[in-house]
C-alpha cells in the first residue's frame, strides 16, 4: 500500500486546479489574500498557506472536491470559522482548503425530539438564534462563536460542559465525507444505540484527519425555567479551586463554574470596565426550577464561605448575567491587552478533580519563575484549565519560556492521570504530548486507524498523528 | 494482506493447546460441560461451543492467550457473565473462549474524583457493594448482574440511562488487549479530553471484535440525598407512552421511567406475588435533593393525570422501592412463565422520543396479528423498548412469526430515524439490520476498521460485521 511519509508541498496538479475552477467558478480562489486568511488560526503559529481555497455549499460538493484531491493525492483541509488554537487548519503540506462557512443550512430542527441537524458551517450562536422560539437551546459554548462542524471536529466543550457534557456527549450523528469521497451517516437520532462501531465518536475529535464533517446532529435541552449567576472572590487560587472541588464532589449540578486568577480579573476589569475585586474569582451559573436553583446556590454559597469567599454577589437579571458572561467570553481578547502587541500562547489541560488545585498552583509557580505575563482561567468544574501567556513573537526566549511552562504543565497533568488537552485538541502543537499521554502502543492503534481510513494521507496531513 | 473470508472451525492446533495447558494448568479446559456452558448466552440461539476455555486472571494473561491465538490464527472470544442477548459469545467458528469472570480486582476506587477502575470480570452489583461506604454509586443497570467488561463491550444501558447515560457516556478509559496481543490504555481519568482519536468509544460497543477489554474505568455519582419511586396505571399503552413523551420534552430529570404493558404486569403479578392493576403501567424513580425530588414527582403526577393515570402510588421507603424494582428486574424471568417451556426472543429498538408511541403501538398490532404470546417493556424515557416473545423452540412457525415481528419493528424504527438496537448490541442477530440502518458506505467504513485492527479475523469472528 502506498504510505507516503509526508504529502510534500508541491504545486497543485493543473488538472485539479482546472477541474475545481470549472466546477466552483468564483468560489474557487488562489489569491494570496484568500490563502493567507485560511492559513492561520488563533494559535501562535506563523501562517501556512494552502494552494487554493474552495467554498463548498453542500455535502455533495465536499465529496466532489475530496474525490478530486484523492485522485491527485493532494491534501484537503476543512475550515470552519478559524477559531482553533493549536494550528489545526494550517496547510502544513499545502493543498486545498475547503471553507465550510457558507454551509449554513438548518437541515432540521426536531423540537419534539430535542434534536437539531445543521450543516457544518452553522455556528453555535446561529443555532441558538434559530432555536429562540422553541424553548430549547444548545448548551455547548467554547467561548468563540465556532462552527458546529469545527466544534465536533475538535471535540470542543467550554463553560457549560460541567452540566451538559462536551461535543462527545452531545453529537448524535454526523454526515462525513471519507478520504475517498464517499458520504456516510454515522448515526441516527435515537438517544442511545448499540448498533456497531461508534463512528460518530470516532470522527468527533478527529480534527479532519479521518474525514470531513459536513452535517452535525446535536442534542438540544429545554431552556431552564430559572437561571441565576453568582460571582465571588477568594483570598487565593487554592481556596477558590478547593471550593470547586468540594462542590463537584458533593454532586451539586452547577451549570457553569469558571475561575479567573487575579491577572485575569485585572484584564477583564480593564477591558470590560468592571470593578471586580482584583483577587481570584469564581463565576457560577445555576440552571433548574426556581426552587432547585435557589437550593444549589445556597449550597454553593455555604461551601464558598467555608473557603473564605467574599463578596458573593447575585446576578439573576438577564442583563447582569450577560454582562458577567460577556466579560468571561471576552477574556481571551482582554488578556491580550495585558501586554499589547504580543501574541498569546494558550495552554489546556484537564486532570481528575481532586488534583486540580495542586496542578494549577504548581503551574502558576512555573509562570512566576519564568517571569511571564500570564493569566489563568479555567472550566474548573471539569478539572480543566488554561494558562494564557503573552509572548513577544520576535523574542525566541519569550516563546521558549512559555513552551517550557506548557511542557511542564502537560507532563504534570499526565502524571496525575489527566490529559494534555481538555478541549482545544491536538492540532500540530500537542502531537508529541499525545505519545506521552497514551503510550506508543495506543498511538500505534491510532496510527492504524489513520492509515486505514486515509491511506494516502491527504486528510489534514501533519496533524494529530505523525504518519 | 491475508483476509480470510471466515476463520473456519477446525481442530485446535496441538501446539496452541499444549502451550495453553502448560501455562494455565487447570484454568484451561476442553471438557464438554465447560465448553457447553460457554457456548450459549441468554439469546434463543442453539449453543455453539468453543474448542477450549481459559480462565484469565490478569490483562497480561489475556495478552498471552491472544498472542498465541494470533500466531495460530485461532478465534478468541471474551466471556464475562454470559448474559448477552444476541448471540455475542457463541463460538461461531470455534476457537478459545477467555473467561474473564475471575478477573475480580477493584483496581482503584478514587472516591475523591468520582471514578473507579475495575477488572473486566467485576459485576455492577459487586462494584456497588464495594462502593457502599463511599456515598457513591455506579448507576448503569441493564437488569442482569452483568460484568463491567461485558457492559462496556455491548455499550449496555438500562433503567437509569435516561438520567445518567449509557456505558458510552460513563466509561472514561479502558485497558484493551489488541488482536496482536498488545496492551493499550485508551484514556485517562480526566473527565473530558480532546487528545486524539476516541479509542475508548471505539472499543465500547465493539463486542470483542476489535480487542478484548480487560479493565474499565467508570464515572461514579454521589448517592442521591433523596430517592422516591411511583407507580401508576393507564387506560392504554398510548396514554402511558404519551405521558412519558411529555415528561421528557419538558426536561424533567427523572432517573428512571419504565413501561410494562398489561401482559408484563400480569407476568410480574404472578411471579412476584404483586397485585398491580392489570393495565399498562409506568414505574418512575426520582433522584435529587428532597425538594427537587418532590418537585419532579409533583410535575410528573400532573402530567400522568392529564393522560388519565390512575392509582399514582408512592414508594419512598427503600423496601417498597426495592420490591417494585425487583419485580421490574425479574421481568425477563417472569415473562418466561407466560408460556412455560418456551424460549424468549427479545427485541430491542430505540427511536426519537416523539415517535415512540406510534412505534410501540404498531409493533403491538403486529404481535396481536401474529397471535404471539408476548409482553412489551421499555426504558421509555430514552425511546427504547423491547418486546419479549415466547416461542416454542421446536416450532419453526412460531419462531418465524416472532422474527417477522422483529424485522418489522426494526425497519419501522430505522424509518423513524431510530436504531435497530438501543442497548442489546448486534451479536449475530442484528448483523443484517446494521446494514439497513447505516447503509453500505458506513458499513464499509466499519469493515475497514475491523480489517485494520483485526487483520486475521480472530477477534470474536462472525459478529457485528460480516467479513
Amino acid at each position: 500500500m502506498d504510505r507516503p511519509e509526508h504529502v510534500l508541498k508541491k504545486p497543485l496538479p493543473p488538472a485539479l486546479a482546472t477541474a475545481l475552477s470549472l466546477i466552483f467558478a468564483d468560489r474557487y480562489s488562489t489569491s494570496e489574500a484568500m490563502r493567507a486568511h485560511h492559513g492561520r488560526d488563533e494559535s501562535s503559529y506563523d501562517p501556512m498557506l494552502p494552494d487554493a481555497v474552495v467554498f463548498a455549499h453542500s455535502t455533495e460538493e465536499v465529496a466532489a472536491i475530496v474525490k478530486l484531491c484523492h485522485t491527485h493525492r493532494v491534501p484537503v483541509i476543512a475550515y470552519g470559522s478559524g477559531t482553533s488554537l493549536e494550528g489545526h487548519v494550517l496547510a502544513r503540506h499545502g493543498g486545498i482548503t475547503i471553507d465550510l462557512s457558507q454551509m449554513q443550512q438548518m437541515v432540521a430542527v426536531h423540537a419534539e425530539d430535542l434534536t437539531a441537524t445543521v450543516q457544518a458551517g452553522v455556528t453555535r450562536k446561529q443555532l441558538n438564534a434559530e432555536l429562540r422560539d422553541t424553548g430549547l437551546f444548545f448548551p455547548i459554548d467554547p467561548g468563540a462563536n465556532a462552527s458546529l462542524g469545527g466544534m465536533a471536529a475538535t471535540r470542543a466543550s467550554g463553560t457549560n460542559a460541567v452540566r451538559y457534557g462536551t461535543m462527545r456527549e452531545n453529537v448524535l450523528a454526523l454526515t462525513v465525507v471519507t478520504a475517498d469521497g464517499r458520504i456516510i451517516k454515522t448515526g441516527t437520532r435515537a438517544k442511545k444505540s448499540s448498533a456497531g462501531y461508534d463512528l460518530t465518536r470516532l470522527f468527533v475529535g478527529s480534527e479532519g484527519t479521518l474525514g470531513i464533517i459536513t452535517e452535525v446532529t446535536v442534542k438540544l435541552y429545554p431552556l431552564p425555567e430559572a437561571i441565576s449567576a453568582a460571582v465571588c472572590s477568594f483570598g487565593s487560587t487554592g481556596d477558590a479551586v478547593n471550593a470547586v472541588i468540594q462542590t463537584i464532589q458533593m454532586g451539586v449540578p452547577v451549570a457553569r463554574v469558571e475561575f479567573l486568577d487575579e491577572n485575569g480579573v485585572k484584564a477583564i476589569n480593564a477591558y470590560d470596565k468592571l470593578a471586580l475585586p482584583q483577587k481570584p474569582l469564581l463565576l457560577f451559573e445555576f440552571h433548574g426550577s426556581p426552587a432547585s436553583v435557589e437550593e444549589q446556590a445556597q449550597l454553593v454559597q455555604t461551601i464558598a464561605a467555608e473557603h473564605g469567599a467574599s463578596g458573593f454577589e447575585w446576578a439573576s437579571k438577564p442583563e447582569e448575567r450577560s454582562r458577567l458572561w460577556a466579560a468571561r467570553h471576552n477574556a481571551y481578547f482582554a488578556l491580550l491587552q495585558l501586554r499589547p502587541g504580543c501574541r498569546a500562547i494558550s495552554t489546556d489541560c484537564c486532570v481528575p478533580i481532586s488534583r486540580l488545585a495542586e496542578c494549577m498552583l504548581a503551574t502558576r509557580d512555573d509562570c512566576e519563575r519564568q517571569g511571564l505575563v500570564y493569566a489563568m482561567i479555567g472550566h474548573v468544574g471539569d478539572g480543566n484549565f488554561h494558562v494564557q501567556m503573552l509572548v513577544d513573537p520576535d523574542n525566541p526566549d519569550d516563546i521558549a519560556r512559555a513552551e517550557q511552562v506548557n511542557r511542564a504543565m502537560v507532563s504534570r497533568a499526565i502524571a496525575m492521570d489527566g490529559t494534555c488537552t481538555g478541549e482545544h485538541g491536538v492540532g500540530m502543537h500537542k502531537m508529541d504530548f499525545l505519545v506521552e499521554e497514551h503510550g506508543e502502543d495506543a498511538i500505534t492503534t491510532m496510527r492504524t486507524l489513520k492509515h486505514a481510513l486515509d491511506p494516502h494521507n491527504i486528510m489534514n496531513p501533519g496533524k494529530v498523528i505523525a504518519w
Side-chain angles (χ1 to χ4, degrees), chain A:
Chain A
M1 202 182 292
D2 166 25
R3 286 190 174 167
E5 176 80 18
H6 288 294
V7 175
L8 292 171
K9 187 158 178 166
K10 54 187 177 188
L12 273 194
L16 173 63
T18 306
L20 290 173
S21 156
L22 276 171
I23 301 170
F24 291 93
D26 60 354
R27 288 193 281 132
Y28 170 81
S29 171
T30 55
S31 82
E32 179 76 16
M34 188 65 84
R35 291 164 51 225
H37 175 72
H38 288 84
R40 65 173 76 235
D41 59 11
E42 301 278 357
S43 72
S44 62
Y45 285 110
D46 288 329
M48 300 180 190
L49 276 52
D51 295 296
V53 176
V54 188
F55 288 81
H57 286 176
S58 69
T59 298
E60 290 68 26
E61 285 190 353
V62 173
I65 301 165
V66 173
K67 257 186 200 146
L68 282 166
C69 289
H70 180 254
T71 302
H72 292 282
R73 308 286 189 256
V74 165
V76 198
I77 300 156
Y79 184 100
S81 56
T83 53
S84 54
L85 290 160
E86 303 288 8
H88 297 80
V89 297
L90 275 57
R92 202 167 178 181
H93 301 290
I96 303 293
T97 289
I98 307 180
D99 186 314
L100 304 166
S101 65
Q102 295 177 5
M103 288 184 62
Q104 286 283 322
Q105 219 181 308
M106 301 284 163
V107 179
V109 174
H110 288 282
E112 72 285 9
D113 293 320
L114 311 170
T115 73
T117 302
V118 301
Q119 281 191 321
V122 171
T123 69
R124 64 176 184 87
K125 286 188 182 174
Q126 288 175 320
L127 174 56
N128 278 318
E130 183 75 15
L131 295 174
R132 200 164 283 150
D133 298 328
T134 63
L136 304 175
F137 79 120
F138 174 68
I140 316 296
D141 172 5
N145 186 23
S147 68
L148 273 287
M151 288 171 64
T154 51
R155 207 181 290 129
S157 49
T159 55
N160 277 312
V162 60
R163 168 78 173 255
Y164 298 95
T166 73
M167 289 303 274
R168 180 175 72 190
E169 286 81 21
N170 284 284
V171 173
L172 283 169
L174 299 167
T175 302
V176 171
V177 172
T178 64
D180 54 358
R182 283 173 299 124
I183 297 167
I184 64 174
K185 282 202 63 174
T186 64
T188 70
R189 293 196 302 111
K191 192 181 159 208
K192 61 185 203 180
S193 172
S194 290
Y197 307 147
D198 192 343
L199 297 183
T200 303
R201 251 52 56 182
L202 181 62
F203 286 103
V204 167
S206 67
E207 306 185 6
T209 64
L210 302 179
I212 295 181
I213 295 168
T214 59
E215 287 184 15
V216 187
T217 299
V218 293
K219 292 185 196 171
L220 306 175
Y221 296 81
L223 277 167
E225 210 187 330
I227 299 179
S228 80
V231 58
C232 54
S233 298
F234 291 82
S236 71
T237 291
D239 284 343
V241 177
N242 283 319
V244 173
I245 293 174
Q246 197 179 332
T247 301
I248 297 301
Q249 286 173 339
M250 290 181 65
V252 186
V254 290
R256 318 189 194 196
V257 47
E258 294 292 305
F259 168 85
L260 277 94
D261 72 356
E262 51 270 50
N263 301 330
V265 173
K266 181 178 162 192
I268 66 169
N269 272 344
Y271 192 83
D272 297 282
K273 307 194 179 16
L274 297 172
L276 295 161
Q278 203 170 305
K279 301 203 300 187
L281 165 154
L282 290 178
L283 180 50
F284 288 95
E285 195 167 276
F286 308 101
H287 293 180
S289 68
S292 135
V293 159
E294 175 68 21
E295 195 172 50
Q296 292 174 50
Q298 288 300 340
L299 195 50
V300 166
Q301 187 162 4
T302 305
I303 295 170
E306 283 169 12
H307 292 86
S310 57
F312 207 91
E313 273 186 44
W314 292 100
S316 42
K317 289 192 197 137
E319 56 275 20
E320 291 171 62
R321 276 209 320 273
S322 299
R323 205 168 58 106
L324 279 173
W325 284 107
R328 168 63 189 88
H329 277 141
N330 290 337
Y332 179 85
F333 300 102
L335 295 172
L336 284 177
Q337 302 307 315
L338 286 175
R339 199 177 169 200
C342 284
R343 209 180 268 176
I345 293 186
S346 278
T347 66
D348 172 31
C349 74
C350 185
V351 295
I353 190 77
S354 73
R355 311 299 297 273
L356 183 61
E358 186 186 349
C359 193
M360 288 178 71
L361 293 174
T363 303
R364 197 193 51 180
D365 289 349
D366 283 349
C367 290
E368 294 289 341
R369 203 165 22 243
Q370 295 288 353
L372 291 168
V373 178
Y374 74 98
M376 295 179 82
I377 55 179
H379 312 307
V380 278
D382 289 315
N384 180 207
F385 72 98
H386 312 292
V387 185
Q388 197 155 324
M389 298 173 284
L390 283 305
V391 298
D392 176 352
D394 298 325
N395 183 346
D397 179 59
D398 232 30
I399 296 173
R401 285 181 296 133
E403 288 297 349
Q404 205 168 320
V405 169
N406 184 42
R407 266 196 305 279
M409 164 177 156
V410 164
S411 293
R412 187 176 297 123
I414 292 172
M416 292 175 172
D417 211 357
T419 177
C420 68
T421 169
E423 55 179 14
H424 290 175
V426 180
M428 291 159 52
H429 197 205
K430 293 277 171 80
M431 289 174 69
D432 291 342
F433 298 129
L434 207 62
V435 185
E436 185 176 339
E437 176 172 330
H438 294 283
E440 281 294 349
D441 277 325
I443 294 295
T444 298
T445 298
M446 290 193 195
R447 188 173 289 117
T448 301
L449 297 175
K450 169 72 174 170
H451 289 180
L453 296 182
D454 179 26
H456 305 297
N457 196 21
I458 63 167
M459 306 308 281
N460 202 6
K463 316 291 167 62
V464 185
I465 292 284
W467 187 258

